[in-house]
Amino acid sequence: MIRRREGLLDGALIVLVILIVWQGLYAYAGAVALTPPWQTVRYAIGLFGTPSFWGHLRGTLAAFGWSLLISAVLGIALGLWLGAFRFAGDVAEPMLTSLYTIPKVTLYPVILLLFGLGPSAKIAFGVIHGMIPVVLFTLGAVKTIRPVLLRTARAMRLSPMQTARHVLVPAVLPEIASGLRVGFSLCLLGVLIGEMFASQRGIGFLIINGINSHNVRLTTAVTLIVILFAVGANSALLMLDRRLHHSR
Amino acid sequence: MTDATAAHAVLHGVTRVYPGANPVHALGPIDLSITRGSFFSVVGPSGCGKSTLLDVLAGLSPPSAGRITFEGQPVNGTVPDGVGVVFQEDSSFPWLTVRDNVAFGLRRIGTDPAEIARRVDHAIGFMGLTDFAAAYPAQLSGGMRQRVCIARTLVLRPRLILLDEPFGALDQQTRLLMGDELLRLWRETDATVLLITHALDEAAMLSDRVGVMSARPGRFIDLLDTGWPRDRDSRIVSDPGFGAITARLWSSLRTESMKAIGARA
Ligand SMILES: Nc1ncnc2c1ncn2[C@@H]1O[C@H](COP(=O)(O)OP(=O)(O)OP(=O)(O)O)[C@@H](O)[C@H]1O
Ligand SMILES: [Mg+2]
């Protein structure tokens, strides 16, 4: 109960800090750069009444959903597989870690060549951002699973499938949830950036479009919506994450 | 004593060397025959290879040399049906409640749910965990977690039970009472028990036979038959024979224990 309130409190605190910084920036930079909070909230609410905004939102959510799904499925499978073969895992882990740290912007030309403009490129952007943390968290969890749990599975004569399903997966689940939480944020980031560079539709496109046409109200309002969504989803996932780690 | 019909598990010239850059010769050679239905305890200095002995006997790791048979069948690299193991470390599943932990093995072999409930209730009661059936291992003490692991193995009704210092995390009083429970269970089920312990009094009180191991690489330097009646309990600690057995165990073990900690005799 206390933990749940903590999660909500964290979220509320982040929103408060954003509001203060925002007001400060507005006082400094003025109406050319961004609009004040209250006006933006009203405009943002108004956006939800326009059909074209819903079209952009649906486009982004669909691409985000797909990239998250692909990141999760491929990431968990790859993590479990690399973890099962120690050697492959030992080789792959440093490569993945360095891949994780290089700016993914450098890969965009390649992705564009492979997927062209449009939804699949956005999804691919999301996946290259979101999948690696899922792989790394899963791989780490498999490598650090307590050996005695696997010995218990052998002592009970479990088949490899039973061991995977009833011992390995539940043992690594909390870590996978943490990986998915990080992957969630990065997928969203990837999709939005993809839309900014390589799309005519979606929330990322709206932001870039607003900037290009000096529509400060639109840019600020859409950014606000994205932030609220990300903070809300992240606190919900953090709560789930803590619940899963709690029974340890 | 070692006649073939009475032998439940037999080790012939078994050794175990952990391979690697610096191979560790942990065990053996061991020749041992464990009588069906007997209570056999192993004592030995820390690091002498007791857990390694349990591993190879259970089929969890292959011997480097020698042969092992259980119920006449060779044991090699897989755990035979009918063998139950309780490890030295806590091996309860942290994501399952006490009840689900204990039911784990039965569910995997597809036992009828009503039968599972019956056996699990009995085992949980037997181990004094009834009030904690819905708790997770993280909410239990180390000794209670170890009891969960014991219950989880017992519900499978193994014919050979291997226990690696199961009472290590318990205080002396609880340890004596758990010893009584273990004796009761042993009598009820006719199972063969191999108990690894570092407590000489525990070995002396519970066992039909006690094996004393040397410092690493562990070999048996003494095998002692206690001659206790089958329906014994912890009250035999006041029997004059008890003191004599404990004293003999200690005299066998003293020099080996000093070797193990690097002291001079
Ligand atoms: N996986 C392993 N790889 C290499 N050496 C090992 C391994 N497991 C155990 N050993 C070594 O084998 C020897 C025997 O270990 P073992 O765990 O069997 O001792 P033990 O008698 O059970 O000790 P304790 O009483 O402390 O539990 C020790 O010297 C230990 O360092
Ligand atoms: Mg040991």
Side-chain angles (χ1 to χ4, degrees):
Chain A
M1 226 52 232
I2 292 173
R3 280 169 189 275
R4 182 166 305 170
R5 283 213 202 94
E6 259 173 32
L8 287 179
L9 207 70
D10 289 350
L13 205 67
I14 291 171
V15 171
L16 190 72
V17 169
I18 290 169
L19 278 176
I20 293 171
V21 172
W22 186 352
Q23 192 70 54
L25 276 178
Y26 177 67
Y28 172 74
V32 212
L34 74 179
T35 49
W38 178 235
Q39 202 182 322
T40 311
V41 170
R42 277 214 324 252
Y43 187 78
I45 292 169
L47 274 181
F48 283 96
T50 57
S52 73
F53 176 77
W54 279 104
H56 289 294
L57 188 63
R58 264 200 302 277
T60 300
L61 285 180
F64 173 59
W66 277 112
S67 66
L68 188 62
L69 185 72
I70 294 171
S71 300
V73 172
L74 282 184
I76 292 171
L78 197 62
L80 290 177
W81 185 74
L82 288 174
F85 300 97
R86 264 203 80 92
F87 180 71
D90 288 347
V91 173
E93 195 167 18
M95 283 166 51
L96 284 167
T97 312
S98 45
L99 207 64
Y100 187 38
T101 47
I102 61 163
K104 257 74 74 188
V105 192
T106 49
L107 297 174
Y108 289 169
V110 184
I111 297 280
L112 284 182
L113 271 175
L114 284 175
F115 293 94
L117 293 176
S120 38
K122 297 200 287 190
I123 295 172
F125 281 145
V127 171
I128 61 169
H129 279 86
M131 192 176 95
I132 297 174
V134 181
V135 179
L136 285 176
F137 272 81
T138 309
L139 174 59
V142 173
K143 278 175 65 178
T144 55
I145 184 174
R146 293 179 48 226
V148 75
L149 299 183
L150 297 175
R151 277 150 52 82
T152 302
R154 288 183 57 209
M156 292 193 174
R157 302 159 53 81
L158 264 55
S159 69
M161 272 313 290
Q162 285 179 317
T163 305
R165 169 141 176 246
H166 295 288
V167 180
L168 198 60
V169 168
V172 298
L173 205 60
E175 287 304 301
I176 291 181
S178 305
L180 285 179
R181 189 167 57 78
V182 177
F184 181 96
S185 314
L186 290 178
C187 263
L188 183 62
L189 182 76
V191 168
L192 289 176
I193 295 176
E195 287 176 341
M196 291 177 174
F197 282 79
S199 182
Q200 298 299 316
R201 223 161 83 99
I203 298 294
F205 167 73
L206 271 188
I207 295 176
I208 268 297
N209 198 35
I211 293 173
N212 289 340
S213 59
H214 304 290
N215 189 342
V216 179
R217 274 201 313 182
L218 179 66
T219 314
T220 321
V222 173
T223 309
L224 175 72
I225 292 169
V226 170
I227 289 174
L228 287 180
F229 173 70
V231 170
N234 200 55
S235 351
L237 289 171
L238 200 62
M239 242 148 66
L240 185 75
D241 203 343
R242 284 179 183 161
R243 275 257 297 266
L244 279 172
H245 278 101
H246 182 57
S247 60
R248 302 287 132 148
Chain B
M1 195 85 238
T2 57
D3 112 49
T5 54
H8 202 185
V10 183
L11 294 90
H12 280 296
V14 168
T15 65
R16 171 82 178 144
V17 180
Y18 287 103
N22 294 309
V24 180
H25 182 184
L27 184 72
I30 300 264
D31 286 289
L32 181 71
S33 169
I34 301 171
T35 311
R36 186 183 288 270
S38 70
F39 197 122
F40 181 73
S41 291
V42 176
V43 294
S46 184
C48 75
K50 301 184 293 296
S51 298
T52 305
L53 171 67
L54 178 137
D55 264 26
V56 291
L57 178 53
L60 285 162
S61 54
S64 308
R67 280 182 298 117
I68 301 155
T69 58
F70 169 67
E71 297 181 344
Q73 301 298 314
V75 176
N76 219 330
T78 55
V79 180
D81 182 35
V83 173
V85 185
V86 177
F87 294 106
Q88 187 170 10
E89 296 161 77
D90 167 31
S91 64
S92 57
F93 297 123
W95 58 90
L96 296 177
T97 61
V98 167
R99 165 163 270 287
D100 291 337
N101 258 288
V102 176
F104 183 88
L106 291 173
R107 291 196 178 134
R108 297 295 86 75
I109 55 177
T111 309
D112 166 58
E115 171 71 4
I116 294 181
R118 211 177 53 72
R119 282 207 225 172
V120 168
D121 282 337
H122 181 255
I124 287 179
F126 192 87
M127 286 291 142
L129 293 164
T130 307
D131 293 344
F132 295 90
Y136 284 91
Q139 298 163 274
L140 306 182
S141 72
M144 290 161 87
R145 261 179 262 171
Q146 194 59 288
R147 280 186 265 156
V148 172
C149 298
I150 297 173
R152 188 179 60 187
T153 299
L154 293 185
V155 290
L156 296 169
R157 303 211 173 132
R159 299 186 294 280
L160 172 64
I161 309 173
L162 309 174
L163 301 140
D164 196 348
E165 305 206 8
F167 308 140
L170 301 183
D171 59 79
Q172 182 70 13
Q173 308 82 282
T174 317
R175 173 193 275 278
L176 284 175
L177 293 178
M178 291 302 295
D180 280 342
E181 293 304 310
L182 191 58
L183 279 175
R184 190 157 67 83
L185 180 101
W186 167 67
R187 271 195 299 273
E188 277 175 14
T189 59
D190 291 322
T192 308
V193 173
L194 181 138
L195 173 76
I196 294 171
T197 175
H198 59 249
L200 300 185
D201 55 346
E202 194 170 279
M205 156 188 141
L206 297 174
S207 324
D208 293 317
R209 193 173 216 210
V210 184
V212 179
M213 280 175 89
S214 67
R216 186 176 68 81
R219 283 147 294 126
F220 283 105
I221 51 171
D222 195 5
L223 283 173
L224 186 152
D225 291 299
T226 59
W228 298 128
R230 194 169 164 82
D231 57 348
R232 55 186 175 263
D233 62 32
S234 57
R235 281 171 296 188
I236 57 170
V237 295
S238 56
D239 188 292
F242 177 80
I245 292 167
T246 318
R248 171 154 160 207
L249 290 177
W250 177 231
S251 68
S252 303
L253 208 51
R254 190 169 174 275
T255 32
E256 295 303 323
S257 300
M258 285 170 108
K259 275 188 216 160
I261 61 168
R264 277 171 215 283

